[in-house]
Each structure stands twice: as structure tokens, then as C-alpha cells.
Amino acid sequence: MNEPAAEQVREEVRAWLAEHWDPDLSLTEWRRRLVSSGWGCPTWPAEWFGKGFSEALGEVVQAEFRRAGAVGVASSGVRMLAAATLLEHGSEAQKAALLPRILTGEDTWCQLFSEPGSGSDLAGLTTRAQLDGDTWIVNGQKVWTTSAHHAQYGMLLARTDWDVPKHRGLSFFVLEIEQPGVEVRPLRQMNGHASFNEVFMTDARVPRDMLVGKQGGGWQVALTTLAHERRQADGMRNWGRAERGEGRVYRELREEQARVMEPYKWYPQRAGRVDLILPVARTSGRLADPVVRQEIGRALMLERASQWTARRARAARELGQPPGPEGSLGKLAASVVARAAARAHAAAAGPDALLAGPDAPAEGMVAEVLLSVPAISIAGGTDQIQRNIIAERVLGLPKEPRDDVDVPFRDVRRNPSSV
Amino acid sequence: MSQLGFSDEQRQFRDFVARFFREQSPVTRARESMSSEAGYDPELWRRLGGELGLTGVHVPEAYGGQGFGAVELGIVLEEMGRVVYCGPYFGSAVLATYALLEGATAAQQERWLPPLAAADIIGSLALAEPGGGWEAGIVQASARKSAGRWRLEGTKSYVLDGRTADLFIIAAREPGSAGPQAVSLFAVQAGAPGLEVEPLQTVDATRPLSRLRLSGVDAELLGEPGAAEPVLRRVLDRAAVALASEMVGGAQALLDSAVSYAKLRVQFGRLIGSFQAIKHKCADMLLAVELAKSAAYGAAEAAAREASVDELREAAALAKALGAEAFLQAAADTIQIHGGSGFTWENDTHLYFKRARGSEVLLGTPAAFRDRFVEYVSAREVAHE
Ligand SMILES: Cc1cc2nc3c(=O)[nH]c(=O)nc-3n(C[C@H](O)[C@H](O)[C@H](O)COP(=O)(O)OP(=O)(O)OC[C@H]3O[C@@H](n4cnc5c(N)ncnc54)[C@H](O)[C@@H]3O)c2cc1C
């Protein structure tokens, strides 16, 4: 397929925005226009709410949106993981029914993968789904489920066959959260916030046509979700961007953010807030301390190099060159940066690192960094799992010998708590 | 601005250079050279100049070079680093050549750059003195002008390729002066009366160093008097970027070696590469190497596009510090992954380890560059406020 030139696309977006962008529309109305025109997700396939553009052209479109101050589709949270998974594995009917409301922000999604007995070893999960007529009946428990407390749908991975090896007995479903069989209980985190939950499913119901992919093919579907999650490194990146601007769209966007953002206010802090390190050190007067400077230097350097590494990956893609290893390292790099940043913050704050809240440096942000950074090396696959993946897939090192993969799941050793 | 991507031409150039060094200068060649009488391989050196033009890759065509920039120079050094190339390239083609490019008059450039670019002569920059330091401020050696001639007195140390150099570029100051402003650069030819070259024993035998004793050596002023400080900054920033490129090449070679050994060696009935203690070390090594590469490539781009002095200084500090850390850590880990054989003379890893040890200190330590990086980033932030 021949791609249009950047200049041509730029003119097209501009013309379209000039005609259609209207800050006095309702947020949903405006986003419906984005969905039906394809301008909201230009890198998606043309037949599914996109334009089939390359990433480079996608950037051109985004730049024009920024220039016009036009609001984009909803893209925060795990909704984009759900969208990417559905785009690749969903049925036509699922895509048609679910994707538009993801993009308008009418539906929020969560990822019902981890369970008390299986996190890293996701394929060892024991939530059970059984077909009863035209309905799947689901029983089990999920945990650490981000956003479940305000989500309409969950990507649910459940076991449908116990007599085959663990990876082959899983199926992937779309679960409606607002139903009697699903109970969501918020969990308080070590930093005091509550963005993740426990989810209990007791005879929860999933219509038959909400199976994604094949029965028993859930692992392949989940791999797509996980691959996108690794690449994104932080699925919540867009939360909390306060949009300025006058008009109904902006007002509703701000309301949407105030309403749903509260539990995720700490997300930027878990990445280390490298941007705050120098201001904190200047305020505390410790910037001249050579020991503190070394810690700061480490954090600033790692952050800069990991930004440049991401740019290298992008440059290679844009030049149509084969991807190098630099593209697979983002998540582990983010952990390394965050830990270095936490050390630098503690050094820069000095004794004020004892304090939290309004009395503490940067209105409590330093304390929140220190207490939030541990999440980044766990959520979305731990650092250890990332290292395994990098070592095996990128460097080609041999897998560990395992005795849990080639036997019926029934016979595999499990945590005592998991049925 | 290419933004950390290599053009197809640059990729082809890399393939060509990599292949040349892999075939013509494998690590066995470095071993031979480092224990030879000359300390390098003169025939290979001449090929780098005449046949391949690599010694002048970044020298303008008007002076017999190839007219490319810092990115191509970085490519050459990265591929040299992979094979621990043992020869005067870094001292001559990088340090001395940049010193002439940045600090000499047009007439002096016309005289010295063509033979340097062609590898007909070897150049050497003599800046540091006993106690170290790679900046104009540390210079104590003096230059006295009498009867229209300059005479140099003092001691220079850590001078690359001192024993084999034909041309020395020496930093010296006005007698009795202090501070970096009174420092100038001078040219002295090997064998000049009053110039004594004492080879030093080095940890890294592939990078020979010397001490120079200057007793009334007759010297030619390069460029303007008292102008060395800004010249040396530009030279040393570009050299730090080049050295960073060499280091990431070495680090990549170590990673390759560690990974391939981990796929061969069996203990406890399994390949050691299946143990997580080994696997995770390799994954961390890859991350450090890729971050260091990004820093080196970004800094080379900054040098190539003639970024502002401050921007280049910041990027060079980043590249040198991360390159040194990645290289040294990779060398230590690669020895560990090789076990006892990693500690033998026969195994090549120690050549890289020693190169890493030396490169860490040369031009300044990672701690010094971290400090400088903070200084520049912070100054920029404050200026933007
Ligand atoms: C902030 C946050 C948000 C989250 N959001 C979600 C969500 O929305 N949806 C969801 O499904 N899950 C979510 N999770 C859960 C997360 O994916 C899991 O916590 C994670 O995958 C680890 O699983 P676990 O907690 O069971 O730890 P375990 O898997 O039990 O691991 C315990 C320790 O053992 C190590 N380990 C385990 N296996 C190996 C191995 N093979 N090799 C080496 N070391 C190993 C781990 O690295 C870890 O250090 C979230 C977690 C956090 C912290």
C-alpha cells in the first residue's frame, strides 16, 4: 500500500479539523466524530476506526491535533491494551460493539489476569469458566486489578480445561463487571492510594459470543495484551494531563479526569519524577554536595540515555530498519531509572526525606516517589520476569528446565490457597 | 538532525569497517602487537591510512581526509573497540588530529593534517602531567619566548603513543602564570633536543603511555598564544565521545562472548546460560550496553551537527560516564561468567578488562563526568526559568 505524503496528510487533518472540531460539543459527541472519521486512531486499520497510517504519519496527525488544541480519543488506562487485543483477536461483532466505546471513553476496562496464587506464572491461574448452554459461568478470584472499581468490562483469563497442560487450558473472555456475580473490593496500597482491587467472581456470567479467540486459545490472546503492556511500560501514562481550554468538551474532559483520575495521581511518582530532583536539591541547598551530585548524576544520566534508547527504537522503525534489542528494554530501563531517581531524591531531600505530605519537599511528591517506586518493578511483569524474557528472547539463552508445562494442569503443584 | 538513527550509507560503512577489523585485525593481532617491538602493527596502520582512509575519516578533504564527521569516526572507533585494536588511532587520529583541527593556523593544518590523515606520521597530544587531569587548568609545564623562539620546560605524563609519535602537541603556560587562560599549544617533533620520552608500564598494554621530560625544547606555537583552553575543551569533548564509542564496541564484544559461552558451558547437567544468576547478568549487561550506545550515538550526533559547546559538553559527559561503566561492568561480568578460564592469560577477556580499566580513567573518571553533567543540566534548567 502506498502511503500518502506527510504534507498531504497534514493538509487533510487541518481541513477536517477546521470543519469538524468544535469545543462546544459534548465530549462523547466529539469523540464519536473522531471514531467514525478515523482521525482519532490514524494508525489503526482503515476498516476499524483508523486510517492504516504508519507511526510517523500518526505523529503528523497528533501534531495537528495539538496545534488546534483538539481533544483526542480516550486513551488512558488499560483501555488501549484491551483495544490492541481486540483488534488482533476479536470477532467482527466484538470489534464493532466494543472498540468505539473504548475510544469515546464511555467504557473503562480492566485486566483480570493476576490471581492470589499466580502472578508471574500467569498460566497457572485457577479461575474456572464452564459453559452452560449459551453462557459461560465463571468462579474464582482476581487480585491487584487496576481500575476494576470503575470499569465496565474486564479482559478475563480463566481456565476452561484442567486436563491439558497449563498454557492450553485457558480461554480469554470479555466480562461485564456490573453484574450480580462480580464483587469488586478496593485494596489499599503501601503508598496509601487505592488504584487496584480484589475481584470476586461467583457464578458470574459471560455470553458465549464474548469469548475472544478460540476456547483453549486464551494464552495466545493474553500474550498480545502482555506484549503491548511491556511496550507501553506504563499503561497509565496519559492520566492526569490537565487540559486547559474553554468550551463544553474541555469542561467534560476535566470532569472525566477529576472523576476517574483520583486513584492514579501517584502514577507519575512511581516512575521516579526525575524532573523534580534538581529543584528539590536546589531548595534543600544540597546541589553542591559532591555525594548528592553523584546520585543525581546517576539518575539524570540513566533517564537521558533511556529516552535516547526509546528514540533509537523509533528512528529504526521510521527508517524501516529491523528492530534491534533496544526496543525490548523499555520496561526494565524504566525500573532502573526509577530506582536511581528514588536514591537521588532521598539524597537531595536530606533529613526532609523523613517527612510526607505538605510539610515534605515538593509538597509531598518526594515522599510519594519513595513509596511508589517499588510498584514499577512489579506491575506488568516483574523485573526478574523481564530479565528472563530479554535473556531468552533477545539473547537466545536457554530456558530453565521446568516440570509444570508438559503435564495436565490438574497434576501441577500449586499454592495451597488456589483451588 | 537524524535523531539517533543511522543512514543506509552509515550502516554500509559500519559493515565495511566491522568486516575489515574482524578479518584483518582480530584480537590475536592485538596480542601480537602489544608484545611487539614497535607496540603496534605498522603495516596495518599504514593500511588504515592509505588504503582505507580511516585515519582521516573526519578530516576535511582539503587536508587529505574523507570529509565525514563525528558519527563516522564513532563508527570506526566502535568497531575498533570490538577487537581491542592495538595501535595509535585514538592518540593520533583522534586527539592529535582534533587538536590541529581546532587549534592550529591554516598553514599549520596544511602542513600537518595531510600526513596525519594518511597515517604517514603518528601524532600525540601531551596535556596531562603527573597527577593527571585533562584540562588546561592543570598545566604546569612552561613556555618561555626568547629571541623569537619558544622553549618548553616541564613534565608531561600519560602521553598516548609517546614512544612512537613523530609529532607532539604539547600544552604549556606562560612562566609564572596561573589559571587556564595563559595556556597555549605547541608542536614539537620527535627527537628534538631536550625532549626525553620515557615509556611507562601500563595496565592496558594495548594502549602504551609515556612520560615526557621537557628541558628547553624548541617548540612551534600552534594557533594563537593563550588560546588553548577553549580549543582543548572542544578537542577533549570530541575525544570523550570517540572514546565512548570505542568503549561501547568493547562492551558489545564482551556481551557477545559471555552469551556465547553461556550457551556452550555445561554444569550440573545444564547449560550455565539456563541459570538465572547468569541469565540476569547478561540481561543487565545488554541494558547497560544499549543505554551506553544510545549515549554515545547521541553525543556523536551532537558533535557532528556542531551543537553548541554546552550541549556537546553535556552529551560527551553522558557518553563517557555511561560507556565507561558499561564497559567495566561487562568486562567483570564476562570474566565471572567464564569462571576460572576467564582469569587466564589465554582467554581474551582480560584484554578488554584492561582496556576498560584504562579507558575509565583516561580523559576523566565517570564521577567527574557525572558531576559535570549535573552542572550543565542544572545550569540549563535555571536559565530556562
Ligand atoms: C501497581 C500494580 C498494578 C497492577 N495491576 C494489575 C492489573 O491491572 N491486572 C492484573 O492482572 N495484575 C496487576 N498487577 C499484578 C502484577 O501483574 C503481579 O503482581 C506481578 O505479575 C507479579 O506477580 P505476583 O505478585 O504474584 O508475584 P510472584 O509471581 O509470586 O513473584 C514473587 C517474586 O518471585 C519472583 N519470581 C516469580 N517467578 C519467577 C521466575 N520464573 N524467575 C525469577 N523470579 C521469579 C518475582 O520476580 C517476585 O520477585 C498489578 C501489580 C501492581 C503492583
Side-chain angles (χ1 to χ4, degrees):
Chain A
M1 193 180 77
N2 266 343
E3 271 222 327
E7 209 34 59
Q8 186 190 335
V9 167
R10 194 168 294 130
E11 272 167 38
E12 251 184 86
V13 199
R14 251 181 228 183
W16 188 84
L17 280 172
E19 194 178 331
H20 294 94
W21 164 235
D22 175 2
D24 291 319
L25 290 174
S26 82
L27 184 57
T28 309
E29 262 176 287
W30 163 242
R31 283 178 171 161
R32 284 193 184 130
R33 286 189 182 181
L34 291 177
V35 171
S36 57
S37 66
W39 286 116
C41 298
T43 58
W44 284 20
E47 58 277 32
W48 294 112
F49 316 112
K51 296 214 167 274
F53 285 175
S54 66
E55 298 214 15
L57 280 187
E59 298 269 336
V60 172
V61 175
Q62 268 199 7
E64 284 310 308
F65 268 66
R66 274 195 301 272
R67 183 201 303 269
V71 170
V73 292
S75 63
S76 53
V78 291
R79 67 180 65 247
M80 284 316 195
L81 301 184
T85 310
L86 289 169
L87 270 179
E88 195 162 327
H89 301 278
S91 66
E92 309 266 300
Q94 287 165 350
K95 284 191 260 204
L98 299 168
L99 290 175
R101 293 173 58 90
I102 289 180
L103 299 175
T104 58
E106 290 165 281
D107 290 342
T108 290
W109 283 62
C110 63
Q111 181 184 17
L112 294 160
F113 284 10
S114 303
E115 298 184 2
S118 55
S120 303
D121 179 17
L122 186 57
L125 59 83
T126 56
T127 289
R128 177 186 300 265
Q130 267 169 315
L131 192 59
D132 176 14
D134 269 345
T135 306
W136 289 93
I137 307 294
V138 183
N139 282 285
Q141 187 201 333
K142 298 288 173 177
V143 72
W144 312 306
T145 316
T146 303
S147 305
H149 56 292
H150 61 95
Q152 280 70 44
Y153 289 102
M155 294 179 270
L156 169 71
L157 198 58
R159 188 164 303 280
T160 45
D161 189 345
W162 299 64
D163 297 316
V164 292
K166 64 199 301 183
H167 295 93
R168 283 190 254 146
L170 301 172
S171 301
F172 194 110
F173 301 97
V174 174
L175 174 78
E176 225 176 298
I177 304 288
E178 290 157 342
Q179 61 162 302
V182 178
E183 190 195 342
V184 178
R185 292 186 204 153
L187 281 171
R188 191 164 181 215
Q189 292 140 198
M190 66 171 271
N191 57 4
H193 293 277
S195 51
F196 62 30
N197 306 269
E198 295 178 291
V199 179
F200 297 88
M201 290 156 293
T202 314
D203 291 334
R205 303 169 72 82
V206 176
R208 197 169 186 170
D209 58 8
M210 283 295 155
L211 170 73
V212 180
K214 289 201 188 63
Q215 183 179 335
W219 183 248
Q220 271 61 45
V221 182
L223 284 181
T224 300
T225 319
L226 295 173
H228 281 274
E229 188 169 18
R230 263 199 305 283
R231 218 165 304 147
Q232 243 178 326
D234 182 352
M236 291 277 184
R237 228 182 326 222
N238 295 329
W239 287 100
R241 195 179 291 159
E243 308 282 343
R244 274 178 275 274
E246 294 298 320
R248 184 174 171 189
V249 163
Y250 291 115
R251 208 166 51 242
E252 289 186 7
L253 181 65
R254 281 192 291 269
E255 280 163 16
E256 176 186 79
Q257 289 183 342
R259 192 172 64 250
V260 299
M261 206 198 92
E262 177 62 27
Y264 311 102
K265 278 197 306 205
W266 62 282
Y267 270 63
Q269 280 68 268
R270 73 175 179 182
R273 290 304 297 270
V274 174
D275 60 313
L276 289 180
I277 297 174
L278 284 170
V280 166
R282 275 194 287 269
T283 308
S284 75
R286 285 189 170 68
L287 185 55
D289 179 329
V291 177
V292 174
R293 279 170 84 92
Q294 288 296 308
E295 293 293 356
I296 295 176
R298 274 179 218 284
L300 296 184
M301 285 188 159
L302 287 169
E303 141 117 327
R304 178 77 60 85
S306 77
Q307 282 169 355
W308 285 5
T309 303
R311 238 198 268 166
R312 259 172 77 206
R314 204 170 343 126
R317 267 201 308 279
E318 284 169 11
L319 294 167
Q321 293 162 355
E326 68 274 5
S328 333
L329 298 168
K331 186 158 191 309
L332 190 55
S335 288
V336 170
V337 171
R339 277 192 295 270
R343 273 195 305 273
H345 271 298
D352 277 352
L354 285 161
L355 306 179
D359 289 337
E363 279 85 49
M365 283 304 133
V366 168
E368 195 154 282
V369 165
L370 300 181
L371 299 183
S372 301
V373 157
I376 202 162
S377 44
I378 299 172
T382 68
D383 279 7
Q384 287 70 37
I385 297 300
Q386 300 307 319
R387 290 193 179 96
N388 284 347
I389 292 175
I390 291 164
E392 290 169 15
R393 306 220 187 118
V394 180
L395 297 174
L397 287 166
K399 287 188 181 303
E400 274 178 285
R402 289 174 64 170
D403 47 22
D404 65 332
V405 279
D406 295 323
V407 289
F409 182 67
R410 226 173 250 305
D411 304 329
V412 171
R413 174 164 177 191
R414 298 200 281 281
N415 283 309
S417 58
S418 332
V419 272
Chain B
M1 183 161 77
S2 60
Q3 298 223 317
L4 306 183
F6 289 101
S7 69
D8 287 336
E9 291 74 22
Q10 287 166 337
R11 281 153 55 94
Q12 281 160 17
F13 179 63
R14 179 189 293 284
D15 289 345
F16 163 77
V17 176
R19 181 151 168 221
F20 177 82
F21 282 104
R22 200 166 55 234
E23 289 172 358
Q24 305 299 319
S25 180
V27 183
T28 46
R29 200 74 175 256
R31 282 178 181 272
E32 287 159 20
S33 297
M34 73 186 196
S35 49
S36 70
E37 181 58 34
Y40 72 106
D41 179 340
E43 192 211 317
L44 184 67
W45 175 245
R46 273 192 295 274
R47 289 183 70 191
L48 296 187
E51 178 188 332
L52 302 171
L54 297 184
T55 38
V57 66
H58 55 315
V59 173
E61 283 164 294
Y63 298 128
Q66 305 292 316
F68 292 110
V71 172
E72 288 76 11
L73 180 67
I75 289 172
V76 174
L77 279 148
E78 187 177 341
E79 299 309 323
M80 284 182 165
R82 269 177 187 269
V83 298
V84 274
Y85 166 73
C86 174
Y89 192 90
F90 184 71
S92 182
V94 178
L95 284 171
T97 300
Y98 268 139
L100 286 166
L101 280 168
E102 296 290 341
T105 64
Q108 289 166 332
Q109 290 177 338
E110 238 158 78
R111 180 159 141 228
W112 295 115
L113 284 173
L116 275 174
D120 288 339
I121 63 167
I122 293 172
S124 174
L125 176 66
L127 164 63
E129 301 190 355
W134 280 269
E135 56 192 3
I138 63 95
V139 169
Q140 309 229 330
S142 67
R144 185 182 302 277
K145 196 170 183 185
S146 72
R149 304 295 306 169
W150 293 90
R151 305 259 172 210
L152 306 187
E153 296 281 346
T155 308
K156 292 286 166 186
S157 195
Y158 318 106
V159 177
L160 270 78
D161 313 303
R163 202 162 61 83
T164 46
D166 305 289
L167 171 69
F168 290 97
I169 294 158
I170 300 177
R173 66 166 61 251
E174 210 176 288
S177 67
Q181 274 77 28
V183 178
S184 313
L185 293 178
F186 299 88
V188 170
Q189 301 205 40
L195 171 66
E196 208 183 311
V197 180
E198 299 168 7
L200 298 166
Q201 196 173 328
T202 51
V203 165
D204 174 12
T206 65
R207 187 119 71 200
L209 302 175
S210 298
R211 191 184 296 129
L212 305 188
R213 297 208 188 272
L214 311 163
S215 327
V217 181
D218 191 17
E220 175 183 337
L221 176 72
L222 283 177
E224 297 295 312
E229 205 228 346
V231 168
L232 283 171
R233 280 184 177 229
R234 288 196 296 273
V235 171
L236 292 168
D237 285 341
R238 284 171 171 73
V241 177
L243 188 53
S245 310
E246 191 196 85
M247 293 191 284
V248 298
Q252 180 68 54
L254 288 161
L255 173 62
D256 293 345
S257 147
V259 167
S260 59
Y261 188 70
K263 290 179 186 172
L264 285 176
R265 173 78 174 168
V266 174
Q267 289 292 285
F268 299 95
R270 24 196 287 216
L271 292 168
I272 60 165
S274 69
F275 295 118
Q276 286 193 357
I278 301 293
K279 213 178 251 194
H280 290 189
K281 248 192 212 319
C282 291
D284 286 338
M285 224 191 286
L286 175 70
L287 177 60
V289 171
E290 290 299 327
L291 292 177
K293 273 188 188 172
S294 305
Y297 298 165
E301 277 184 16
R305 89 178 104 86
E306 299 290 330
S308 73
V309 175
D310 286 1
E311 188 186 342
L312 175 57
R313 221 160 160 67
E314 189 178 309
L318 177 74
K320 174 66 169 64
L322 291 185
E325 284 181 318
F327 192 16
L328 195 52
Q329 189 63 50
D333 287 344
T334 301
I335 292 176
Q336 184 67 19
I337 288 170
H338 278 82
S341 65
F343 195 65
T344 63
W345 190 266
E346 188 196 350
N347 189 290
D348 286 336
T349 311
H350 72 100
L351 299 175
Y352 292 88
F353 184 85
K354 291 165 183 171
R355 176 65 72 81
R357 276 269 162 238
S359 303
E360 182 193 27
V361 178
L362 197 65
L363 308 187
T365 60
F369 282 109
R370 268 195 294 275
D371 199 87
R372 184 185 294 171
F373 188 73
V374 173
E375 178 190 333
Y376 278 80
V377 176
S378 181
R380 195 154 39 79
E381 238 180 64
V382 172
H384 276 267
E385 266 164 19

